Coordinates of all heavy atoms in Angstrom, one line a residue:
M16 N -27.4 -29.6 -37.8 CA -26.6 -30.2 -36.8 C -26.5 -31.7 -37.1 O -27.5 -32.3 -37.4 CB -27.2 -29.9 -35.4 CG -27.3 -28.4 -35.1 SD -27.2 -28.1 -33.3 CE -28.8 -28.9 -32.8
K17 N -25.3 -32.2 -36.8 CA -25.1 -33.7 -37.0 C -24.7 -34.3 -35.6 O -24.0 -33.6 -34.9 CB -24.0 -33.9 -38.0 CG -24.3 -33.3 -39.4 CD -23.0 -33.3 -40.3 CE -23.2 -32.4 -41.5 NZ -21.9 -32.3 -42.2
P18 N -24.9 -35.5 -35.4 CA -24.5 -36.1 -34.2 C -23.0 -36.4 -34.3 O -22.5 -36.9 -35.3 CB -25.3 -37.4 -34.1 CG -25.6 -37.8 -35.5 CD -25.8 -36.4 -36.2
A19 N -22.2 -36.0 -33.2 CA -20.8 -36.2 -33.2 C -20.6 -37.7 -32.9 O -21.4 -38.4 -32.3 CB -20.2 -35.4 -32.1
S20 N -19.5 -38.2 -33.5 CA -19.2 -39.7 -33.3 C -17.6 -39.8 -33.2 O -16.9 -38.9 -33.4 CB -19.7 -40.5 -34.4 OG -19.1 -40.1 -35.6
G21 N -17.2 -41.0 -32.8 CA -15.8 -41.3 -32.7 C -15.0 -40.3 -31.9 O -15.4 -40.0 -30.7
L22 N -13.8 -39.9 -32.3 CA -12.9 -39.0 -31.6 C -13.6 -37.7 -31.2 O -13.4 -37.2 -30.1 CB -11.6 -38.8 -32.5 CG -10.6 -37.9 -31.8 CD1 -10.0 -38.4 -30.5 CD2 -9.5 -37.6 -32.8
L23 N -14.3 -37.2 -32.1 CA -15.0 -35.9 -31.9 C -15.9 -36.0 -30.7 O -15.9 -35.1 -29.8 CB -15.7 -35.4 -33.1 CG -16.2 -33.9 -33.1 CD1 -15.1 -32.9 -32.8 CD2 -16.9 -33.6 -34.4
L24 N -16.7 -37.0 -30.7 CA -17.7 -37.3 -29.6 C -16.9 -37.4 -28.3 O -17.3 -36.8 -27.2 CB -18.5 -38.5 -29.8 CG -19.5 -38.9 -28.8 CD1 -20.5 -37.8 -28.5 CD2 -20.2 -40.2 -29.2
W25 N -15.8 -38.1 -28.3 CA -15.0 -38.3 -27.1 C -14.4 -37.0 -26.6 O -14.5 -36.7 -25.4 CB -13.8 -39.3 -27.4 CG -13.0 -39.6 -26.2 CD1 -13.2 -40.6 -25.3 CD2 -11.8 -38.9 -25.8 NE1 -12.2 -40.5 -24.3 CE2 -11.4 -39.5 -24.6 CE3 -11.1 -37.9 -26.3 CZ2 -10.2 -39.1 -23.9 CZ3 -9.9 -37.4 -25.6 CH2 -9.5 -38.1 -24.5
L26 N -13.9 -36.2 -27.5 CA -13.4 -34.9 -27.2 C -14.5 -33.9 -26.5 O -14.2 -33.3 -25.5 CB -12.8 -34.2 -28.4 CG -11.4 -34.8 -28.9 CD1 -11.1 -34.2 -30.3 CD2 -10.3 -34.4 -27.9
L27 N -15.6 -33.9 -27.2 CA -16.7 -33.1 -26.6 C -17.0 -33.5 -25.2 O -17.1 -32.6 -24.3 CB -18.0 -33.2 -27.5 CG -18.0 -32.5 -28.9 CD1 -19.2 -32.8 -29.6 CD2 -17.8 -31.0 -28.7
R28 N -17.2 -34.8 -25.0 CA -17.5 -35.3 -23.6 C -16.3 -35.0 -22.7 O -16.5 -34.6 -21.5 CB -17.8 -36.8 -23.6 CG -19.1 -37.1 -24.4 CD -19.7 -38.5 -23.9 NE -20.7 -39.0 -24.8 CZ -22.0 -38.6 -24.9 NH1 -22.4 -37.6 -24.0 NH2 -22.8 -39.1 -25.7
R29 N -15.1 -35.3 -23.1 CA -13.9 -35.1 -22.3 C -13.8 -33.7 -21.8 O -13.4 -33.4 -20.6 CB -12.7 -35.5 -23.1 CG -11.4 -35.3 -22.5 CD -11.1 -36.2 -21.2 NE -9.9 -35.9 -20.6 CZ -9.6 -34.9 -19.8 NH1 -10.5 -34.0 -19.6 NH2 -8.4 -34.7 -19.3
F30 N -14.1 -32.7 -22.6 CA -13.9 -31.3 -22.3 C -15.2 -30.6 -21.9 O -15.3 -29.4 -21.7 CB -13.2 -30.6 -23.4 CG -11.8 -31.0 -23.5 CD1 -11.4 -31.9 -24.6 CD2 -10.8 -30.6 -22.7 CE1 -10.1 -32.4 -24.7 CE2 -9.5 -31.1 -22.8 CZ -9.1 -32.0 -23.8
G31 N -16.3 -31.4 -21.8 CA -17.6 -30.9 -21.3 C -18.3 -29.9 -22.3 O -18.9 -28.9 -21.8
F32 N -18.2 -30.1 -23.6 CA -18.9 -29.3 -24.5 C -20.1 -30.0 -25.1 O -20.1 -31.3 -25.3 CB -18.0 -28.9 -25.7 CG -16.9 -27.9 -25.2 CD1 -15.7 -28.3 -24.9 CD2 -17.3 -26.5 -25.1 CE1 -14.7 -27.4 -24.5 CE2 -16.3 -25.6 -24.7 CZ -15.0 -26.0 -24.4
A33 N -21.2 -29.3 -25.4 CA -22.4 -29.9 -26.0 C -22.3 -30.0 -27.5 O -22.9 -30.8 -28.1 CB -23.6 -29.1 -25.6
G34 N -21.5 -29.1 -28.1 CA -21.4 -29.1 -29.5 C -20.2 -28.3 -30.0 O -19.6 -27.6 -29.2
V35 N -19.9 -28.4 -31.3 CA -18.8 -27.6 -31.8 C -19.1 -27.3 -33.3 O -19.7 -28.1 -34.0 CB -17.5 -28.3 -31.7 CG1 -17.5 -29.6 -32.5 CG2 -16.3 -27.5 -32.1
T36 N -18.8 -26.0 -33.7 CA -19.0 -25.6 -35.0 C -17.6 -25.7 -35.8 O -16.7 -25.1 -35.4 CB -19.5 -24.1 -35.1 OG1 -20.7 -24.1 -34.5 CG2 -19.6 -23.6 -36.5
L37 N -17.6 -26.6 -36.7 CA -16.4 -26.8 -37.6 C -16.7 -26.3 -39.0 O -16.8 -27.1 -39.9 CB -16.0 -28.3 -37.6 CG -15.6 -28.9 -36.2 CD1 -15.4 -30.4 -36.4 CD2 -14.4 -28.2 -35.7
Y38 N -16.8 -25.0 -39.1 CA -17.0 -24.3 -40.3 C -15.8 -24.6 -41.3 O -14.7 -24.4 -40.8 CB -17.2 -22.8 -40.1 CG -17.5 -22.0 -41.4 CD1 -18.8 -21.9 -41.8 CD2 -16.5 -21.5 -42.1 CE1 -19.1 -21.2 -43.0 CE2 -16.7 -20.8 -43.3 CZ -18.1 -20.7 -43.7 OH -18.3 -20.0 -44.9
P39 N -16.0 -24.9 -42.5 CA -17.3 -25.0 -43.2 C -17.7 -26.5 -43.3 O -18.6 -26.8 -44.2 CB -16.9 -24.5 -44.6 CG -15.4 -25.0 -44.8 CD -14.8 -25.0 -43.4
I40 N -17.3 -27.4 -42.4 CA -17.6 -28.8 -42.6 C -19.0 -29.1 -42.0 O -19.9 -29.7 -42.7 CB -16.6 -29.7 -41.8 CG1 -15.2 -29.4 -42.4 CG2 -17.0 -31.1 -41.9 CD1 -14.0 -29.9 -41.5
G41 N -19.3 -28.6 -40.8 CA -20.6 -28.8 -40.2 C -20.6 -28.5 -38.7 O -19.6 -28.1 -38.2
I42 N -21.8 -28.7 -38.1 CA -22.0 -28.4 -36.7 C -22.2 -29.8 -36.1 O -23.1 -30.5 -36.5 CB -23.2 -27.5 -36.4 CG1 -22.8 -26.1 -37.0 CG2 -23.5 -27.4 -34.9 CD1 -24.0 -25.1 -37.0
Y43 N -21.4 -30.2 -35.1 CA -21.5 -31.5 -34.5 C -21.8 -31.3 -33.0 O -21.3 -30.5 -32.3 CB -20.2 -32.2 -34.6 CG -19.9 -32.5 -36.1 CD1 -19.2 -31.6 -36.9 CD2 -20.3 -33.7 -36.6 CE1 -18.9 -31.9 -38.2 CE2 -20.1 -34.0 -38.0 CZ -19.4 -33.0 -38.8 OH -19.1 -33.3 -40.1
V44 N -22.9 -32.1 -32.6 CA -23.3 -32.0 -31.2 C -23.4 -33.4 -30.6 O -23.4 -34.4 -31.3 CB -24.7 -31.3 -31.1 CG1 -24.6 -29.9 -31.7 CG2 -25.8 -32.0 -31.8
L45 N -23.5 -33.4 -29.3 CA -23.7 -34.7 -28.6 C -25.1 -35.3 -29.1 O -26.0 -34.5 -29.3 CB -23.8 -34.5 -27.1 CG -22.6 -33.9 -26.3 CD1 -22.9 -33.7 -24.9 CD2 -21.4 -34.8 -26.5
P46 N -25.1 -36.6 -29.4 CA -26.3 -37.2 -29.9 C -27.6 -36.8 -29.1 O -28.6 -36.5 -29.8 CB -26.0 -38.7 -29.8 CG -24.5 -38.8 -29.9 CD -24.0 -37.6 -29.2
E47 N -27.5 -36.7 -27.8 CA -28.7 -36.4 -27.0 C -29.1 -35.0 -27.1 O -30.1 -34.6 -26.5 CB -28.4 -36.9 -25.5 CG -27.3 -36.1 -24.8 CD -25.9 -36.8 -25.0 OE1 -25.7 -37.4 -26.0 OE2 -25.1 -36.5 -24.1
M48 N -28.2 -34.1 -27.7 CA -28.5 -32.7 -27.8 C -29.1 -32.3 -29.2 O -29.2 -31.1 -29.4 CB -27.3 -31.9 -27.5 CG -26.7 -32.0 -26.1 SD -27.9 -31.4 -24.8 CE -27.5 -29.7 -25.0
L49 N -29.3 -33.3 -30.0 CA -29.7 -33.0 -31.4 C -30.9 -32.1 -31.5 O -31.0 -31.2 -32.4 CB -29.9 -34.3 -32.2 CG -28.7 -34.8 -33.0 CD1 -29.1 -36.1 -33.7 CD2 -28.3 -33.8 -34.0
G50 N -31.9 -32.3 -30.6 CA -33.1 -31.5 -30.7 C -33.1 -30.2 -29.9 O -34.1 -29.6 -29.8
D51 N -31.9 -29.8 -29.4 CA -31.9 -28.7 -28.5 C -31.8 -27.4 -29.3 O -30.8 -27.0 -30.0 CB -30.6 -28.8 -27.6 CG -30.6 -27.8 -26.5 OD1 -30.6 -26.6 -26.7 OD2 -30.7 -28.3 -25.3
T52 N -32.9 -26.6 -29.3 CA -33.0 -25.4 -30.1 C -32.0 -24.3 -29.6 O -31.4 -23.6 -30.5 CB -34.5 -24.8 -29.9 OG1 -35.4 -25.8 -30.1 CG2 -34.7 -23.7 -30.9
R53 N -31.8 -24.2 -28.3 CA -30.9 -23.2 -27.8 C -29.5 -23.5 -28.3 O -28.8 -22.6 -28.7 CB -30.9 -23.3 -26.3 CG -30.3 -22.1 -25.6 CD -30.4 -22.4 -24.1 NE -29.6 -21.4 -23.3 CZ -30.2 -20.3 -22.9 NH1 -31.5 -20.0 -23.0 NH2 -29.4 -19.4 -22.2
L54 N -29.1 -24.7 -28.3 CA -27.8 -25.1 -28.8 C -27.7 -24.8 -30.3 O -26.7 -24.4 -30.8 CB -27.5 -26.6 -28.5 CG -26.1 -27.1 -29.0 CD1 -25.0 -26.4 -28.3 CD2 -26.0 -28.6 -28.7
H55 N -28.7 -25.2 -31.0 CA -28.8 -24.9 -32.4 C -28.5 -23.5 -32.7 O -27.7 -23.1 -33.6 CB -30.1 -25.4 -33.0 CG -30.2 -25.3 -34.5 ND1 -29.6 -26.1 -35.3 CD2 -30.8 -24.3 -35.2 CE1 -29.9 -25.8 -36.6 NE2 -30.6 -24.7 -36.5
K56 N -29.2 -22.6 -32.0 CA -29.1 -21.1 -32.2 C -27.7 -20.7 -31.9 O -27.1 -19.8 -32.5 CB -30.1 -20.4 -31.4 CG -31.5 -20.5 -31.9 CD -32.5 -19.8 -30.9 CE -33.9 -20.0 -31.5 NZ -34.9 -19.5 -30.5
H57 N -27.1 -21.2 -30.8 CA -25.7 -20.9 -30.4 C -24.7 -21.3 -31.4 O -23.9 -20.5 -31.8 CB -25.4 -21.6 -29.1 CG -24.0 -21.3 -28.5 ND1 -23.9 -20.4 -27.5 CD2 -22.8 -21.8 -28.8 CE1 -22.6 -20.3 -27.3 NE2 -21.9 -21.1 -28.1
E58 N -24.8 -22.5 -31.9 CA -23.8 -23.0 -32.9 C -24.0 -22.3 -34.3 O -23.1 -22.0 -35.0 CB -23.9 -24.5 -33.1 CG -23.6 -25.3 -31.8 CD -22.2 -25.0 -31.2 OE1 -21.3 -24.6 -32.0 OE2 -22.1 -25.1 -30.0
M59 N -25.3 -22.0 -34.6 CA -25.5 -21.2 -35.9 C -24.9 -19.8 -35.8 O -24.5 -19.3 -36.8 CB -27.0 -21.2 -36.1 CG -27.6 -22.4 -36.8 SD -26.7 -23.0 -38.2 CE -27.0 -21.6 -39.4
A60 N -24.9 -19.3 -34.6 CA -24.3 -17.9 -34.4 C -22.8 -18.0 -34.7 O -22.2 -17.2 -35.4 CB -24.5 -17.4 -33.0
H61 N -22.1 -19.1 -34.3 CA -20.7 -19.3 -34.6 C -20.6 -19.6 -36.1 O -19.6 -19.1 -36.7 CB -20.2 -20.6 -33.8 CG -19.9 -20.3 -32.4 ND1 -19.3 -19.2 -31.9 CD2 -20.2 -21.0 -31.3 CE1 -19.2 -19.2 -30.6 NE2 -19.8 -20.3 -30.2
W62 N -21.5 -20.3 -36.7 CA -21.5 -20.5 -38.1 C -21.5 -19.2 -38.9 O -20.7 -19.0 -39.8 CB -22.6 -21.4 -38.6 CG -22.5 -21.9 -40.0 CD1 -23.0 -21.3 -41.1 CD2 -21.9 -23.1 -40.4 NE1 -22.7 -22.0 -42.2 CE2 -22.0 -23.1 -41.8 CE3 -21.2 -24.1 -39.8 CZ2 -21.5 -24.2 -42.6 CZ3 -20.6 -25.2 -40.5 CH2 -20.8 -25.2 -41.9
R63 N -22.4 -18.3 -38.5 CA -22.4 -17.0 -39.2 C -21.2 -16.2 -38.9 O -20.7 -15.4 -39.8 CB -23.7 -16.2 -38.7 CG -25.0 -16.8 -39.3 CD -26.2 -15.9 -39.0 NE -26.4 -15.7 -37.6 CZ -27.1 -16.5 -36.8 NH1 -27.8 -17.5 -37.4 NH2 -27.3 -16.2 -35.5
Q64 N -20.6 -16.3 -37.7 CA -19.4 -15.6 -37.4 C -18.3 -16.0 -38.4 O -17.6 -15.2 -39.0 CB -18.9 -15.8 -36.0 CG -19.8 -15.2 -34.9 CD -19.5 -15.8 -33.5 OE1 -18.8 -16.8 -33.4 NE2 -20.0 -15.1 -32.5
A65 N -18.2 -17.4 -38.5 CA -17.1 -17.9 -39.4 C -17.4 -17.5 -40.8 O -16.4 -17.3 -41.6 CB -17.1 -19.4 -39.2
E66 N -18.7 -17.5 -41.2 CA -19.0 -17.2 -42.6 C -18.6 -15.7 -42.9 O -18.1 -15.5 -44.0 CB -20.6 -17.3 -42.7 CG -21.1 -17.9 -44.0 CD -22.5 -18.2 -43.9 OE1 -23.3 -17.5 -43.2 OE2 -22.9 -19.3 -44.5
S67 N -18.9 -14.8 -41.9 CA -18.6 -13.4 -42.2 C -17.1 -13.1 -42.0 O -16.6 -12.2 -42.7 CB -19.5 -12.5 -41.4 OG -19.2 -12.7 -40.0
M68 N -16.4 -13.8 -41.1 CA -15.0 -13.5 -40.9 C -14.1 -14.2 -41.8 O -13.0 -13.8 -42.0 CB -14.6 -13.9 -39.5 CG -15.4 -13.1 -38.4 SD -15.1 -13.8 -36.7 CE -13.5 -13.1 -36.3
G69 N -14.6 -15.3 -42.4 CA -13.8 -16.2 -43.2 C -13.2 -17.3 -42.2 O -12.9 -16.9 -41.0
A70 N -13.1 -18.5 -42.6 CA -12.8 -19.6 -41.7 C -11.4 -19.4 -41.0 O -11.4 -19.5 -39.8 CB -12.7 -20.9 -42.5
V71 N -10.4 -19.0 -41.7 CA -9.1 -18.9 -41.1 C -9.1 -17.9 -40.0 O -8.6 -18.1 -38.9 CB -8.0 -18.7 -42.1 CG1 -6.6 -18.4 -41.5 CG2 -7.9 -19.8 -43.1
W72 N -9.6 -16.7 -40.4 CA -9.6 -15.6 -39.4 C -10.5 -15.9 -38.2 O -10.2 -15.5 -37.1 CB -10.1 -14.3 -40.1 CG -9.8 -13.1 -39.3 CD1 -10.8 -12.2 -38.9 CD2 -8.6 -12.6 -38.7 NE1 -10.2 -11.2 -38.1 CE2 -8.9 -11.4 -38.0 CE3 -7.3 -13.0 -38.8 CZ2 -7.9 -10.7 -37.3 CZ3 -6.3 -12.3 -38.1 CH2 -6.6 -11.2 -37.4
F73 N -11.6 -16.6 -38.5 CA -12.5 -17.0 -37.4 C -11.7 -17.8 -36.3 O -11.7 -17.6 -35.2 CB -13.7 -17.7 -37.9 CG -14.5 -18.4 -36.8 CD1 -15.3 -17.6 -36.0 CD2 -14.5 -19.7 -36.7 CE1 -16.1 -18.2 -35.0 CE2 -15.3 -20.4 -35.7 CZ -16.1 -19.6 -34.8
Y74 N -11.0 -18.9 -36.8 CA -10.3 -19.8 -35.9 C -9.2 -19.1 -35.2 O -9.0 -19.3 -34.0 CB -9.9 -21.0 -36.6 CG -11.0 -21.9 -37.1 CD1 -11.2 -22.2 -38.4 CD2 -11.9 -22.5 -36.1 CE1 -12.3 -23.0 -38.8 CE2 -12.9 -23.3 -36.5 CZ -13.1 -23.5 -37.9 OH -14.2 -24.3 -38.3
V75 N -8.4 -18.2 -35.9 CA -7.3 -17.5 -35.3 C -7.9 -16.6 -34.2 O -7.3 -16.6 -33.1 CB -6.5 -16.7 -36.4 CG1 -5.5 -15.8 -35.7 CG2 -5.8 -17.7 -37.3
T76 N -8.9 -15.9 -34.5 CA -9.5 -14.9 -33.6 C -10.1 -15.6 -32.4 O -9.9 -15.2 -31.3 CB -10.6 -14.1 -34.3 OG1 -10.1 -13.4 -35.5 CG2 -11.2 -13.0 -33.4
Y77 N -10.8 -16.7 -32.7 CA -11.4 -17.5 -31.6 C -10.4 -18.0 -30.6 O -10.5 -17.9 -29.4 CB -12.3 -18.7 -32.2 CG -13.1 -19.4 -31.1 CD1 -14.4 -19.0 -30.9 CD2 -12.5 -20.4 -30.4 CE1 -15.1 -19.6 -29.9 CE2 -13.2 -21.0 -29.3 CZ -14.5 -20.6 -29.1 OH -15.3 -21.2 -28.1
L78 N -9.3 -18.5 -31.2 CA -8.2 -19.1 -30.3 C -7.6 -17.9 -29.5 O -7.4 -18.1 -28.3 CB -7.2 -19.7 -31.2 CG -6.0 -20.5 -30.5 CD1 -6.6 -21.6 -29.6 CD2 -5.0 -20.9 -31.5
W79 N -7.3 -16.8 -30.2 CA -6.7 -15.7 -29.5 C -7.6 -15.2 -28.4 O -7.1 -14.9 -27.2 CB -6.3 -14.6 -30.5 CG -6.0 -13.3 -29.8 CD1 -6.7 -12.1 -29.9 CD2 -4.9 -13.0 -28.9 NE1 -6.1 -11.1 -29.1 CE2 -5.0 -11.7 -28.5 CE3 -3.9 -13.8 -28.4 CZ2 -4.1 -11.1 -27.6 CZ3 -3.0 -13.2 -27.5 CH2 -3.1 -11.9 -27.1
Y80 N -8.9 -15.0 -28.7 CA -9.8 -14.5 -27.6 C -9.9 -15.5 -26.5 O -10.1 -15.1 -25.3 CB -11.2 -14.3 -28.3 CG -11.4 -13.1 -29.0 CD1 -12.5 -12.9 -29.9 CD2 -10.5 -12.0 -29.0 CE1 -12.8 -11.7 -30.6 CE2 -10.7 -10.9 -29.7 CZ -11.8 -10.7 -30.5 OH -12.0 -9.6 -31.2
S81 N -9.8 -16.8 -26.8 CA -9.9 -17.8 -25.7 C -8.7 -17.7 -24.8 O -8.9 -17.9 -23.6 CB -10.0 -19.2 -26.3 OG -11.3 -19.3 -26.9
I82 N -7.6 -17.5 -25.4 CA -6.4 -17.3 -24.6 C -6.4 -16.0 -23.8 O -6.2 -16.0 -22.6 CB -5.1 -17.3 -25.5 CG1 -4.9 -18.7 -26.1 CG2 -3.9 -16.9 -24.7 CD1 -3.9 -18.7 -27.3
R83 N -6.8 -15.0 -24.5 CA -6.8 -13.6 -23.9 C -7.9 -13.5 -22.8 O -7.7 -12.9 -21.7 CB -7.1 -12.6 -25.0 CG -7.2 -11.2 -24.6 CD -5.8 -10.6 -24.2 NE -6.0 -9.2 -23.9 CZ -6.4 -8.7 -22.7 NH1 -6.9 -9.6 -21.8 NH2 -6.5 -7.4 -22.5
F84 N -9.2 -13.9 -23.1 CA -10.3 -13.7 -22.2 C -10.8 -15.0 -21.5 O -11.7 -14.8 -20.6 CB -11.4 -13.1 -23.0 CG -11.1 -11.8 -23.7 CD1 -10.9 -11.8 -25.1 CD2 -10.9 -10.6 -23.0 CE1 -10.6 -10.6 -25.7 CE2 -10.5 -9.4 -23.6 CZ -10.4 -9.4 -25.0
G85 N -10.4 -16.1 -22.0 CA -11.0 -17.4 -21.4 C -12.2 -17.7 -22.2 O -12.8 -16.9 -22.9
Y86 N -12.7 -19.0 -22.1 CA -13.8 -19.4 -22.9 C -15.1 -18.6 -22.7 O -15.7 -18.2 -23.6 CB -14.1 -20.9 -22.6 CG -15.3 -21.4 -23.2 CD1 -15.4 -21.7 -24.6 CD2 -16.4 -21.7 -22.4 CE1 -16.6 -22.2 -25.1 CE2 -17.6 -22.2 -23.0 CZ -17.7 -22.4 -24.3 OH -18.8 -22.9 -24.9
R87 N -15.4 -18.4 -21.4 CA -16.7 -17.8 -21.0 C -16.7 -16.4 -21.5 O -17.8 -15.9 -21.9 CB -16.7 -17.9 -19.5 CG -18.0 -17.9 -18.8 CD -19.0 -18.9 -19.2 NE -20.4 -18.3 -18.9 CZ -21.5 -18.9 -19.4 NH1 -21.5 -19.9 -20.1 NH2 -22.6 -18.3 -19.1
N88 N -15.6 -15.7 -21.4 CA -15.6 -14.2 -21.8 C -15.1 -13.9 -23.2 O -14.9 -12.8 -23.5 CB -14.8 -13.4 -20.7 CG -15.5 -13.5 -19.4 OD1 -16.7 -13.3 -19.3 ND2 -14.7 -13.7 -18.3
N89 N -14.9 -15.0 -23.9 CA -14.5 -14.8 -25.3 C -15.6 -14.1 -26.0 O -16.8 -14.5 -26.0 CB -14.4 -16.2 -26.0 CG -14.0 -16.2 -27.4 OD1 -14.3 -15.3 -28.1 ND2 -13.4 -17.3 -27.8
P90 N -15.3 -12.9 -26.6 CA -16.4 -12.1 -27.2 C -17.2 -12.8 -28.2 O -18.4 -12.6 -28.4 CB -15.6 -10.9 -27.9 CG -14.4 -10.8 -27.1 CD -14.0 -12.2 -26.7
L91 N -16.6 -13.8 -28.9 CA -17.4 -14.6 -29.9 C -18.4 -15.5 -29.2 O -19.5 -15.8 -29.7 CB -16.4 -15.4 -30.8 CG -15.6 -14.6 -31.7 CD1 -14.5 -15.4 -32.4 CD2 -16.4 -13.9 -32.8
E92 N -18.0 -16.0 -28.0 CA -18.9 -16.8 -27.2 C -20.1 -15.9 -26.6 O -21.2 -16.3 -26.5 CB -18.2 -17.5 -26.0 CG -17.4 -18.7 -26.4 CD -18.3 -19.8 -27.1 OE1 -19.5 -19.9 -26.8 OE2 -17.7 -20.5 -28.0
I93 N -19.7 -14.7 -26.1 CA -20.7 -13.8 -25.6 C -21.8 -13.5 -26.6 O -22.9 -13.6 -26.4 CB -20.0 -12.5 -25.0 CG1 -19.2 -12.8 -23.8 CG2 -21.1 -11.4 -24.7 CD1 -18.3 -11.7 -23.4
E94 N -21.3 -13.2 -27.8 CA -22.2 -12.9 -29.0 C -23.1 -14.1 -29.2 O -24.3 -14.0 -29.4 CB -21.4 -12.5 -30.2 CG -22.3 -12.1 -31.3 CD -21.5 -11.8 -32.6 OE1 -21.1 -10.7 -32.8 OE2 -21.3 -12.7 -33.4
A95 N -22.5 -15.3 -29.3 CA -23.3 -16.6 -29.5 C -24.3 -16.8 -28.5 O -25.4 -17.3 -28.8 CB -22.3 -17.8 -29.7
R96 N -24.0 -16.6 -27.2 CA -24.9 -16.8 -26.1 C -26.1 -15.8 -26.2 O -27.2 -16.1 -26.0 CB -24.2 -16.6 -24.7 CG -23.4 -17.8 -24.3 CD -23.2 -17.9 -22.8 NE -22.5 -16.6 -22.3 CZ -21.2 -16.5 -22.3 NH1 -20.4 -17.4 -22.8 NH2 -20.7 -15.4 -21.8
E97 N -25.8 -14.5 -26.7 CA -26.8 -13.6 -26.8 C -27.8 -14.0 -27.9 O -29.0 -13.8 -27.9 CB -26.3 -12.2 -27.2 CG -25.7 -11.5 -26.0 CD -24.9 -10.3 -26.3 OE1 -24.7 -10.0 -27.5 OE2 -24.4 -9.6 -25.4
Q98 N -27.3 -14.7 -29.0 CA -28.1 -15.1 -30.1 C -29.0 -16.3 -29.8 O -29.9 -16.6 -30.5 CB -27.2 -15.5 -31.3 CG -26.3 -14.4 -31.8 CD -26.9 -13.5 -32.8 OE1 -27.6 -14.0 -33.7 NE2 -26.7 -12.2 -32.7
E99 N -28.7 -16.9 -28.6 CA -29.5 -18.1 -28.2 C -31.0 -17.7 -28.0 O -31.9 -18.5 -28.1 CB -29.0 -18.7 -26.9 CG -27.6 -19.4 -27.1 CD -27.1 -19.8 -25.7 OE1 -27.8 -19.8 -24.7 OE2 -25.9 -20.2 -25.7
R100 N -31.2 -16.4 -27.7 CA -32.5 -15.9 -27.3 C -33.4 -15.7 -28.6 O -34.6 -15.6 -28.4 CB -32.4 -14.6 -26.6 CG -31.9 -14.8 -25.1 CD -31.9 -13.5 -24.4 NE -30.6 -12.9 -24.5 CZ -30.4 -11.6 -24.6 NH1 -31.4 -10.8 -24.6 NH2 -29.2 -11.1 -24.7
Y101 N -32.8 -15.6 -29.8 CA -33.6 -15.2 -30.9 C -33.9 -16.4 -31.8 O -33.3 -17.4 -31.7 CB -32.8 -14.1 -31.7 CG -32.5 -12.9 -30.9 CD1 -31.2 -12.7 -30.4 CD2 -33.5 -12.0 -30.4 CE1 -30.9 -11.6 -29.6 CE2 -33.2 -11.0 -29.6 CZ -31.9 -10.8 -29.2 OH -31.6 -9.7 -28.4
Ligands
LIG218 ZN1 -19.9 -21.2 -28.4

């Protein structure tokens, strides 16, 4: 995980997110969240989703699910939240 800066940091704070997985570039989080294990597990779950689905399909699916189900009930988010426990 890397600390977000510049525009990305502004966007995360503006929209109330702790971090974002930008596969295959990296995982960026709020500087104060760098040591957060739960967040790390959550974002790593997204990283693995993108790895197994392929980047393009991951982003298309993620966007579609977000529109269809909303952020909270996006199946990719539900899966990532479940992975926070392991
Ligand atoms: Zn997530």
